[in-house]
Amino acid sequence: MSNETQKVVISLEDLLAQADALKKYIDYLQKTLAELQDNIISIDSSLQALKEIQNSQELLMIGDKRGNIIFKLQGIEKAKVLVHLGLDYYAEVDPSVAERILNDKKAELSNALNELQRELAKSLEAYNEITELLNQIQQQLQQQSAQSKGG
């Protein structure tokens, strides 16, 4: 048995194409990561609202994201809430059941977030390796060009 290493030959175009594909994939992963984080923050807000509604006689409800209108609600039925189940389905349940559903959803999203972060880290590492290799190739080409002009 010999300890010789095998050389793999990859064209510069293939290397550039791989770097470009990885860059697009990294952008997609980062966008998806931001969406997951936003969903988790929304669930946290819903869980906080559930706690607040149980402890208050009056509730302020914001009509939109920018707060252009705020509703002052009194006499809210606290025995049941509507919770989103997914795919535009909602269920009317006790607040404690809603809390469990939201916590389960948050756990699922957190697991997906962790997986996505691992995938992003691997992709970034591969992208950095390719860009380092491309930088080395560029430096070698510049040195060869300088030597051929000078020599």
Side-chain angles (χ1 to χ4, degrees):
M1 282 192 218
S2 66
N3 288 338
E4 295 179 29
T5 59
Q6 293 182 349
K7 291 185 179 183
V8 177
V9 179
I10 300 174
S11 72
L12 184 58
E13 292 81 21
D14 288 344
L15 203 55
L16 288 169
Q18 183 66 29
D20 185 52
L22 267 172
K23 178 66 175 137
K24 289 177 182 173
Y25 184 56
I26 288 167
D27 290 344
Y28 165 77
L29 289 175
Q30 289 172 331
K31 180 181 175 194
T32 305
L33 192 71
E35 289 172 7
L36 281 174
Q37 290 168 332
D38 187 51
N39 284 339
I40 290 170
I41 290 169
S42 291
I43 289 173
D44 284 338
S45 294
S46 295
L47 288 167
Q48 184 62 37
L50 269 176
K51 288 178 185 173
E52 287 178 20
I53 201 169
Q54 295 303 316
N55 299 326
S56 63
Q57 298 297 322
E58 181 178 275
L59 184 68
L60 298 177
M61 185 180 87
I62 299 173
D64 60 25
K65 284 186 174 184
R66 298 200 183 268
N68 290 311
I69 189 166
I70 298 175
F71 302 99
K72 191 174 187 180
L73 306 173
Q74 296 176 340
I76 299 168
E77 175 62 41
K78 299 175 184 179
K80 299 284 184 182
V81 297
L82 291 174
V83 65
H84 185 250
L85 301 175
L87 299 175
D88 292 332
Y89 288 98
Y90 291 82
E92 187 174 12
V93 296
D94 293 331
S96 62
V97 174
E99 184 177 357
R100 184 176 47 82
I101 290 170
L102 290 172
N103 280 323
D104 290 347
K105 189 183 292 190
K106 181 180 175 182
E108 284 179 34
L109 291 173
S110 293
N111 288 337
L113 184 76
N114 291 336
E115 280 295 317
L116 200 62
Q117 287 172 329
R118 283 191 285 277
E119 180 67 22
L120 179 60
K122 287 191 302 189
S123 298
L124 283 169
E125 185 178 335
Y127 180 77
N128 289 336
E129 287 175 7
I130 290 174
T131 55
E132 178 62 31
L133 186 57
L134 288 170
N135 287 336
Q136 290 173 5
I137 291 169
Q138 182 180 15
Q139 288 174 355
Q140 288 175 355
L141 290 174
Q142 288 172 346
Q143 289 173 353
Q144 289 174 358
S145 176
Q147 288 176 353
S148 66
K149 287 181 182 178

